[in-house]
């Protein structure tokens, strides 16, 4: 058992061998009254999911499949920044164990230009109030051969650093970083989070983003004060792109 140095994140913990999706398990637990920071970790997922309806390939053995239940005491509109908060915590954890992560807006975590981790935040709200946000994090840790369907775009911690790491140790460090980043965000607002995020971003990167049915291609310049990405398109015009990357689901009373 790895020591966990947190006040609340991970203090309730469920480890399962297999489930469809740790986000689903965490949501069931949240509805049944899971405490803030309750964590579900699985060895494998049979229906792991990513953003925009994509599948998250989730074989046993090599990776972290992690979900936690959060209830930030903030307005729903302020919660839109949460995926960036989580991205910073994942990047800090990778850096702490010897990797050189980059963040790609809105919330992909990269090593050597390929995706090593993904974040899926699903907010469940009632009226004006967020009841709970389930944050799912998948990290490719120890695989050498990536599944064929993602081999060209994905990598792992091991492929990038030549090192292995236990998912338990990685999860414990992640809890510590996420608790600290979350608490700083709640206490101090967006600015410190955005500064941290900027440290891991590679500015000047070419981006292509679909916004309101229009594909905008250009160069990433910066984040604005609300976490939106500022992009200069190929014709020199500047755009402000907001991701809407947190899914909102209205709950029945
Ligand atoms: C992405 O599309 O980049 C987000 C991927 C999120 C994957 C994680 S794995 C743990 C949790 N359970 C899921 O079904 N998805 C998230």
């Amino acid at each position: 058992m790895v020591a966990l140095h947190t006040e609340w994140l991970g203090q309730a913990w469920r480890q399962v061998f297999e489930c469809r999706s740790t986000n689903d398990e965490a949501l069931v637990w949240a509805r049944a009254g899971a405490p803030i920071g309750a964590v579900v970790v699985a060895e494998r997922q049979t229906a792991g999911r990513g953003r925009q309806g994509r599948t998250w390939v989730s074989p046993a053995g090599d990776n972290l499949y992690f979900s936690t239940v959060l209830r930030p005491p903030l307005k729903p509109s302020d919660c839109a920044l949460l995926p960036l908060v989580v991205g910073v915590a994942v990047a800090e954890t990778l850096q702490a164990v010897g990797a050189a992560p980059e963040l790609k807006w809105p919330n992909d975590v990269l090593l050597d230009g390929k995706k090593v981790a993904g974040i899926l935040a699903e907010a469940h709200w009632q009226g004006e109030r967020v009841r709970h946000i389930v944050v799912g994090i998948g990290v490719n840790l120890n695989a050498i051969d990536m599944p064929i369907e993602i081999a060209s775009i994905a990598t792992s911690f091991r492929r990038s650093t030549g090192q292995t790491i236990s998912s338990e140790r990685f999860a414990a460090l992640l809890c510590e970083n996420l608790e600290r980043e979350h608490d700083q965000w709640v206490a101090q607002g967006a600015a410190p989070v955005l500064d941290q995020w900027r440290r891991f971003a590679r500015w000047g990167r070419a981006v292509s983003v679909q916004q309101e049915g229009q594909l905008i291609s250009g160069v990433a310049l910066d984040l604005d004060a609300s976490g939106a990405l500022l992009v200069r398109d190929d014709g020199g015009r500047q755009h402000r792109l907001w991701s809407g990357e947190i899914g909102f689901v209205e709950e029945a009373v």
Side-chain angles (χ1 to χ4, degrees):
M1 184 71 196
V2 177
L4 180 63
H5 304 285
T6 62
E7 283 181 16
W8 54 269
L9 214 163
Q11 291 300 323
W13 193 284
R14 284 186 185 167
Q15 183 92 33
V16 299
F17 174 69
E18 176 186 294
C19 61
R20 285 176 56 76
S21 158
T22 54
N23 269 32
D24 293 345
E25 297 289 313
L27 178 59
V28 169
W29 194 8
R31 286 180 173 151
I36 296 170
V39 165
V40 179
V41 170
E43 188 72 15
R44 65 185 288 250
Q45 301 183 116
T46 55
R49 59 177 184 275
R51 302 194 319 261
Q52 296 163 350
R54 288 191 287 259
T55 297
W56 187 258
V57 184
S58 306
D62 291 321
N63 305 318
L64 178 66
Y65 311 113
F66 171 107
S67 296
T68 187
V69 176
L70 301 179
R71 299 189 180 93
L74 299 171
K75 291 189 301 225
S77 56
D78 291 337
C79 290
L81 210 66
L82 180 60
L84 301 190
V85 176
V86 180
V88 167
V90 175
E92 286 175 336
T93 307
L94 284 162
Q95 191 171 55
V97 295
E102 287 181 329
L103 289 172
K104 180 174 167 218
W105 189 88
N107 54 4
D108 284 344
V109 188
L110 311 180
L111 292 178
D112 310 320
K114 291 184 172 185
K115 186 157 165 166
V116 68
I119 296 156
L120 178 67
E122 297 174 314
H124 299 263
W125 58 285
Q126 222 172 34
E128 295 293 290
R129 204 170 64 88
V130 173
R131 289 189 72 186
H132 25 252
I133 303 181
V134 174
V135 172
I137 303 170
V139 189
N140 303 327
L141 290 177
N142 297 314
I144 278 293
D145 297 318
M146 305 308 292
I148 186 78
E149 58 271 47
I150 55 170
S152 62
I153 53 163
T155 191
S156 68
F157 170 76
R158 184 175 177 189
R159 282 178 70 95
S160 177
T161 64
Q163 312 287 319
T164 59
I165 186 166
S166 77
S167 57
E168 292 80 10
R169 170 151 183 259
F170 193 91
L173 290 172
L174 178 60
C175 286
E176 290 162 23
N177 286 319
L178 184 52
E179 179 177 288
R180 190 186 58 253
E181 292 301 333
H182 171 282
D183 287 353
Q184 185 183 46
W185 168 54
V186 168
Q188 297 176 34
V193 175
L194 297 177
D195 282 347
Q196 297 282 70
W197 201 94
R198 286 185 181 100
R199 280 200 307 125
F200 288 108
R202 198 171 74 199
W203 300 110
R205 178 195 293 278
V207 288
S208 241
V209 184
Q210 194 81 31
Q211 175 131 312
E212 289 162 4
Q214 196 195 350
L215 186 68
I216 297 168
S217 299
V219 166
L221 300 175
D222 197 2
L223 295 178
D224 77 1
S226 69
L229 184 72
L230 302 176
V231 171
R232 190 176 52 238
D233 73 17
D234 301 337
R237 279 184 55 212
Q238 196 161 308
H239 301 262
R240 184 177 169 278
L241 305 179
W242 183 245
S243 73
E245 278 294 346
I246 185 159
F248 280 91
V249 179
E250 184 153 13
E251 298 245 301
V253 182

